Amino acid sequence: MKLPAPRGPLGASLTDLLVHPPRDTGIVDDVVLTRWRDAAATADPLTDDDLQLTLWTLYALHYRGFEGVDDAWEWDPDVLRLRRVLEDAFEASLRDRVAVPGGTAAAREAVASALFAMTAPGPGPSVARYVSRSADATQAEEFLIHRSLYTLMEADPHTWAIPRLSGVPKAALVEVQADEYGGGRPERMHSALFARTMRGAGLVDEYGYYVDRLPAVTIAALNLMSLFGLHRRWRGAIAGHLAAFEMTSSLPNRLYGDGFRRLGHDEGTTDYFDEHVEADAVHEQIAGRDLAGRLAEEEPELVGDILFGAAACLYLDELVGRHLLDAWSAGTSSLRAA
């Protein structure tokens, strides 16, 4: 994967750093940190292209890295100091905007019930219903491009939580992730199924290929998973995020599959969506009760984090959906210009 084109001073300074080998002596001093803090002090971190793409680039060092970038940058102290600046701005914005329900007991069924209530389908417009009934071929392709940034690496951000859990929650997460990774069959990995969907729609299935076309809000949704997954202190939030993710997957994927069938696509293209209809109906029970619910019982102090993770997931998904529907209803592209 190539480094993305910078969208502002944060990305430009990071690119200038990463194209060189790491040095033995620190190169990020207080002046550089102040400059980054000033650049990160944007009015809306969730939709700031420079901040979100730069944060995604920093997180990508922990996944597949970049062509021409030394792998030693992954844990370089200077890079981590810079990442912390962006994470602080991102987290503060989420704290200001995301409402978390209170009064939930640290009990398996109480937490699961709260999560199911939070994720209950609403009557308003949704991307899934639009794709099912109205999307044209171009809009359906745009939808896949938005989804590709996460789905071509599906499950990886949540997998960071496995060594941070124990007992029932750990076993529950492993059970869900094993299905996501195809149960030992690489051709059935959900990322592989989605790659097949993209090829069926005539799109490139290389991870990160379309990142320069994606708006900040789509990138932010993936950054949220990495923020939670890469920090042990957010183990409750990543559990809640996964629960919300699974609880809002089965019905939408049925509609997505219907939409692509309506547009004339065959089983090879719709297999990804059809697979998730059944799998995620099971996963939502495991993630809600045995992962999030039991984690709350074992570590009661994490109840608030579990619900925050779920609420943040839903909030950013709503922002992404609103961006797509607003663009399509206006007759414009939801992607950045090529």
Side-chain angles (χ1 to χ4, degrees):
M1 186 166 59
K2 297 183 182 300
L3 280 168
R7 300 183 189 177
L10 292 167
S13 63
L14 179 63
T15 297
D16 288 343
L17 192 67
L18 295 181
V19 295
H20 298 96
R23 303 178 189 175
D24 292 335
T25 57
I27 56 177
V28 176
D29 56 20
D30 290 342
V31 174
V32 176
L33 284 175
T34 298
R35 190 160 61 242
W36 270 57
R37 290 191 183 100
D38 290 343
T42 174
D44 186 1
L46 303 186
T47 59
D48 186 276
D49 276 304
D50 190 23
L51 189 152
Q52 290 298 335
L53 182 63
T54 304
L55 184 56
W56 175 82
T57 303
L58 289 163
Y59 284 145
L61 298 173
H62 295 290
Y63 293 101
R64 305 182 188 184
F66 296 98
E67 179 182 331
V69 174
D70 194 320
D71 286 342
W73 280 118
E74 178 184 3
W75 294 109
D76 183 87
D78 283 329
V79 164
L80 296 180
R81 291 177 76 194
L82 295 174
R83 195 183 84 190
R84 177 66 179 270
V85 171
L86 305 189
E87 287 180 332
D88 286 348
F90 188 30
E91 181 180 333
S93 182
L94 291 168
R95 288 291 192 187
D96 286 344
R97 297 175 180 219
V98 175
V100 180
T104 302
R108 177 177 181 266
E109 288 304 318
V111 169
S113 295
L115 291 169
F116 277 111
M118 293 169 66
T119 57
S126 75
V127 173
R129 283 192 284 270
Y130 186 90
V131 170
S132 174
R133 302 169 185 172
S134 307
D136 60 27
T138 299
Q139 292 166 341
E141 291 172 10
E142 287 188 10
F143 163 73
L144 294 179
I145 289 171
H146 281 277
R147 290 287 293 268
S148 68
L149 194 63
Y150 164 69
T151 313
L152 288 175
M153 61 180 291
E154 185 164 353
D156 289 353
H158 294 111
T159 299
W160 293 112
I162 291 174
R164 292 162 181 165
L165 304 176
S166 61
V168 172
K170 183 170 192 160
L173 180 55
V174 169
E175 183 175 357
V176 171
Q177 299 302 82
D179 282 349
E180 302 288 346
Y181 291 128
R185 299 169 58 195
E187 74 280 3
R188 297 304 299 174
M189 291 174 65
H190 289 180
S191 57
L193 296 181
F194 191 77
R196 186 180 177 191
T197 295
M198 294 195 73
R199 294 193 298 272
L203 299 170
V204 177
D205 65 350
E206 297 174 17
Y207 180 74
Y209 181 85
Y210 293 104
V211 67
D212 288 326
R213 303 292 311 280
L214 295 175
V217 68
T218 298
I219 300 171
L222 175 54
N223 283 344
L224 179 70
M225 301 184 208
S226 296
L227 172 69
F228 290 159
L230 283 166
H231 292 275
R232 183 181 177 276
R233 68 186 177 94
W234 283 122
R235 63 195 180 280
I238 195 65
H241 186 287
L242 179 59
F245 204 78
E246 298 292 344
M247 290 173 177
T248 54
S249 176
S250 185
L251 178 57
N253 274 297
R254 183 185 299 279
L255 295 174
Y256 293 137
D258 290 344
F260 278 84
R261 278 184 283 272
R262 175 180 59 81
L263 292 169
H265 289 283
D266 62 16
E267 182 180 347
T269 303
T270 64
D271 189 20
Y272 170 85
F273 304 113
D274 298 337
E275 167 74 14
H276 282 71
V277 173
E278 181 176 349
D280 290 350
V282 176
H283 290 173
E284 68 180 25
Q285 299 295 328
I286 299 171
R289 290 183 163 82
D290 296 332
L291 172 57
R294 283 298 297 269
L295 180 60
E297 290 185 339
E298 293 183 5
E299 300 186 70
E301 70 277 10
L302 296 183
V303 170
D305 288 345
I306 292 169
L307 298 181
F308 175 70
C313 172
L314 298 173
Y315 181 79
L316 279 176
D317 282 355
E318 181 183 354
L319 289 187
V320 174
R322 191 183 309 156
H323 171 82
L324 268 64
L325 293 175
D326 287 349
W328 293 342
S329 64
T332 60
S333 174
S334 63
L335 300 173
R336 289 167 51 87

